[in-house]
Amino acid sequence: MDIIHTPSYEALSQEAASYIAKQVRTNPDIVLGLATGSTPTGMYKHLLEDHIIHKTSYENVTTFNLDEYIGLKKTDPNSYYTFMRKHLFQHINIKKDKIYIPDGLAGNLATECENYEENLKKNGPVDIQVLGLGENGHIGFNEPGTSFHSRTHIVELTESTRTANARFFPGFDDVPTHAITMGIASIMSAKEIILLVAGKNKAKAFEQLLYGEVSESFPASVLKKHPCVKIIADTSVLEESSIIA
Ligand code: GLP
């Protein structure tokens, strides 16, 4: 794993965006795996700036999002569909039919998971997968204990994940209990993975990722088995932990 330490969240966001924008310009029909949450929002802001300044085109880009809550309408302010629209898609020239996000309101959720995997196979592999890190080591919505062989599936969210994400909702009880997520094996199929780690609340998870063993009880640890992982971490993570940059 290649680790880049940045002096601030702003620098982390700039670093990630510059790298991705450069890859999009080099490979205009790139397949990007995208993440939601607070961590990548700065990166998306910089991608929009780059789109305006350098005219990076997304016309032939395909995107796959990691996950979506079950039970929220696409138009719900907290759906990941809305998140992606607001932070990226409505501002760039990406084609609607090249955007893939699991449908958390599909009539048959099991079929939706199968179809998502099919689409990944048909249009993939993902060239660059962006990931955030859950406080409990989850990636996508793959909670501790998820099989490293898992493909797109339905998950019951842990109380800790629902608590961590409650800040976006009116209250804890409004946070959906289930989600669809790409599985660990689906994520690992990407050619390259960029993990963004920001904020003091991620310090423990970051330490465990670096020094802990590879185990299904800590999903992000699987990344140690991937041949091409870049971790971009801001210093607030380091300040809180015993890691020396
Ligand atoms: C959510 C998302 C993950 C994300 C994680 C961390 O649970 N499903 O994809 O990486 O939270 O989010 P944040 O960046 O807000 O800390």
Side-chain angles (χ1 to χ4, degrees), residues 14 68 70 148 172 213 225:
Q14 179 72 69
E68 178 60 287
I70 288 177
F148 283 171
F172 175 82
E213 58 182 29
K225 300 190 348 165

Side-chain angles (χ1 to χ4, degrees), residues 28-47:
D29 48 16
I30 196 166
V31 181
L32 296 176
L34 298 177
T36 50
S38 320
T39 313
T41 55
M43 176 191 81
Y44 291 134
K45 190 188 91 187
H46 284 289
L47 282 177

Side-chain angles (χ1 to χ4, degrees), residues 29-32 62 64 100 116-127 189-191:
D29 48 16
I30 196 166
V31 181
L32 296 176
T62 300
F64 280 91
Y100 293 88
Y116 206 69
E117 275 300 317
E118 271 308 303
N119 282 324
L120 264 170
K121 250 187 233 148
K122 211 162 71 194
N123 302 288
V126 167
D127 291 294
S189 309
K191 289 188 197 164

Side-chain angles (χ1 to χ4, degrees), residues 1 137 139 145-149 184 188 207-226 229:
M1 297 191 297
I139 49 175
T146 306
S147 164
F148 283 171
H149 301 291
I184 305 265
M188 290 289 280
E207 253 187 274
Q208 185 160 351
L209 170 62
L210 297 187
Y211 304 121
E213 58 182 29
V214 176
S215 155
E216 288 180 352
S217 62
F218 192 77
S221 65
V222 75
L223 299 177
K224 290 182 178 174
K225 300 190 348 165
H226 193 284
V229 174

